[in-house]
Amino acid sequence: MNSGPSPTQGTALAVILAAGKGTRMNSELPKVLCPVVDRPMIHFVLDAANQAGIGKKVVVIGYEKQAVRDELETRGESDIVFAEQNEQLGTGHAVQMCREHLEGRQGLTLVIAGDSPLVQPESLKALIAHFEETRPALLLGTLTKDDPTGLGRILRDESGQFTGIIEHKDASEEQRQIQEVNMSTYLFSTPDLLWALSNLSNDNAQGEYYLTDCARLLHEAGRAVEALPVLKDCESLSINNPEELQLVDQKMRAMGYA
Ligand code: UD1
Ligand code: MG
C-alpha cells in the first residue's frame, strides 16, 4: 500500500459539530466539554482529524460558544476556525452555518460529531483512501450494532445499494429492525455538500434540519452515495447521556487513551 501523503492531505477540510447543548447530559457544561479520560471530549475528535491528515478544521459552536472556543484555543493550532450556530436547528443546519468556509472548495469535506471521541483515525484514513479511489458525492462510514436504539438507520434496496438514512424517531417498526447505523462520519465532495445543504427541509419528527437527509437527497438526484461498513465496534459509542459518558470513559481507558 502507498504510505506517502494522500492527495487529500492539505486540501481537505473537517467540519466538527459542537454547537448542541446536550440536553440529555443533564450537565451545566456543553456536551462537547464534558470530560472523558480527564479531557474535554472534543479534543479527541480534533486529534483524530489531525491524525487522519486533515489539518484545517471548522468547528461549529453555539451553546456556550465562548467556553468551547476558549478550550480549543488552548490547543494552540492555527488552522481551527469557528462557525457560529446561534440556534440549534439540527445537524444539517449546523453545517449550513459553515457555508462561507465551504464555498469555492473542490475537495473533500469530512463531517464528524464532537460527541464521538472514539472516532478512529485508521477508519478515517481507510474512508479517505476509498473516497479518493471512487470519488463519490458522499461516502458514509457505518457499522452494525446489536442494539441500534436511538441511532439513524441505513436504508438499502434489494441489491444492497444505499438509499437513505432514517432517524430512529422517524423510523417505522420494520425500519427499527435494521442494525446498520449512521455514526455521523461523512465524507462529502464539497460542491455536492453545498447543493444538498441548500435543499434540506425540517419536515420530520424533530422539526430539525437533519444532515442525514443530505444522503437521501444526493442519492435521489442520481449522485453516487456509498455507505461502507468499515467502522470499528468502539466507534458505535457516542455520548448522549451520563451513562454513555461513563461507558466511553471506561472503554477509552481500557484502550489505553489515558
Ligand atoms: C445524530 C444523527 C444520527 C446518528 C447519531 C450518532 C442526525 C439528524 N442524526 O443523532 O443519524 O446515528 O448522530 O452519530 O444528524 N449539533 C449541532 N447543532 C445542532 C444539533 C447538533 O452542532 O443543531 C451537534 C451536537 O453538538 C453533537 C452532534 O451535532 O456533537 C450530534 O448531535 P446529536 O444531537 O447528538 O445527534 P444524535 O441525536 O446523536
Ligand atoms: Mg449524538
Side-chain angles (χ1 to χ4, degrees), residues 33 43 61 64-76 82:
L33 295 190
H43 284 299
I61 54 175
E64 288 278 357
K65 61 189 173 197
Q66 194 57 45
V68 179
R69 195 188 273 266
D70 290 348
E71 178 60 39
L72 291 182
E73 274 163 7
T74 66
R75 296 175 65 90
F82 295 92

Side-chain angles (χ1 to χ4, degrees), residues 24 31 113 115-116 151 184 238-240 244:
R24 292 165 282 179
K31 175 162 75 171
D115 68 353
S116 302
L151 298 168
S184 303
S238 57
I239 299 175
N240 301 291
E244 288 175 342

Side-chain angles (χ1 to χ4, degrees), residues 2-62:
N2 179 10
S3 59
S6 83
T8 295
Q9 285 175 325
T11 65
L13 183 76
V15 169
I16 291 142
L17 305 179
K21 177 172 193 292
T23 312
R24 292 165 282 179
M25 298 298 292
N26 301 317
S27 167
E28 293 290 296
L29 285 173
K31 175 162 75 171
V32 297
L33 295 190
C34 291
V36 285
V37 202
D38 308 319
R39 230 173 140 212
M41 67 174 83
I42 192 169
H43 284 299
F44 296 98
V45 180
L46 270 73
D47 289 352
N50 286 348
Q51 287 163 23
I54 302 186
K56 190 163 164 40
K57 293 170 285 284
V58 183
V59 181
V60 188
I61 54 175

Side-chain angles (χ1 to χ4, degrees), residues 13-251:
L13 183 76
V15 169
I16 291 142
L17 305 179
K21 177 172 193 292
T23 312
R24 292 165 282 179
M25 298 298 292
N26 301 317
S27 167
E28 293 290 296
L29 285 173
K31 175 162 75 171
V32 297
L33 295 190
C34 291
V36 285
V37 202
D38 308 319
R39 230 173 140 212
M41 67 174 83
I42 192 169
H43 284 299
F44 296 98
V45 180
L46 270 73
D47 289 352
N50 286 348
Q51 287 163 23
I54 302 186
K56 190 163 164 40
K57 293 170 285 284
V58 183
V59 181
V60 188
I61 54 175
Y63 180 75
E64 288 278 357
K65 61 189 173 197
Q66 194 57 45
V68 179
R69 195 188 273 266
D70 290 348
E71 178 60 39
L72 291 182
E73 274 163 7
T74 66
R75 296 175 65 90
E77 289 174 31
S78 59
D79 50 6
I80 301 175
V81 295
F82 295 92
E84 295 193 4
Q85 184 196 27
N86 291 320
E87 256 188 302
Q88 281 73 65
L89 303 180
T91 49
H93 181 257
V95 183
Q96 284 173 342
M97 300 302 104
C98 302
R99 190 172 280 281
E100 64 171 307
H101 302 288
L102 301 173
E103 263 158 7
R105 298 186 77 95
Q106 290 306 314
L108 165 69
T109 296
L110 170 76
V111 183
I112 47 181
D115 68 353
S116 302
L118 271 162
V119 59
Q120 298 294 298
E122 293 70 30
S123 299
L124 297 180
K125 283 186 201 161
L127 287 163
I128 291 168
H130 187 87
F131 183 91
E132 283 171 352
E133 226 173 86
T134 63
R135 292 274 158 195
L138 167 60
L139 174 62
L140 285 161
T142 71
L143 54 80
T144 296
K145 195 173 182 184
D146 287 343
D147 178 8
T149 307
L151 298 168
R153 308 297 208 283
I154 303 297
L155 306 177
R156 296 182 183 272
D157 66 18
E158 316 75 58
S159 68
Q161 164 73 48
F162 174 91
T163 58
I165 304 169
I166 185 92
E167 286 304 290
H168 182 91
K169 287 185 179 156
D170 296 290
S172 66
E173 266 317 308
E174 196 183 334
Q175 288 168 329
R176 287 182 181 180
Q177 304 307 309
I178 297 171
Q179 289 179 306
E180 190 184 1
V181 292
N182 172 41
M183 290 314 308
S184 303
T185 307
Y186 307 86
L187 287 79
F188 285 99
S189 130
T190 308
D192 289 295
L193 171 59
L194 283 166
W195 175 85
L197 289 174
S198 61
N199 285 282
L200 284 180
S201 79
N202 63 352
D203 181 15
N204 53 55
Q206 304 185 81
E208 288 184 358
Y209 295 90
Y210 290 165
L211 185 59
T212 49
D213 281 344
C214 289
R216 178 182 48 81
L217 288 168
L218 287 166
H219 170 74
E220 285 173 1
R223 306 286 296 135
V225 181
E226 291 182 71
L228 216 55
V230 296
L231 301 183
K232 308 260 190 298
D233 284 346
C234 68
E235 295 178 284
S236 73
L237 303 173
S238 57
I239 299 175
N240 301 291
N241 55 50
E243 294 70 38
E244 288 175 342
L245 180 72
Q246 201 188 357
L247 190 66
V248 170
D249 182 79
Q250 283 168 358
K251 179 77 188 166

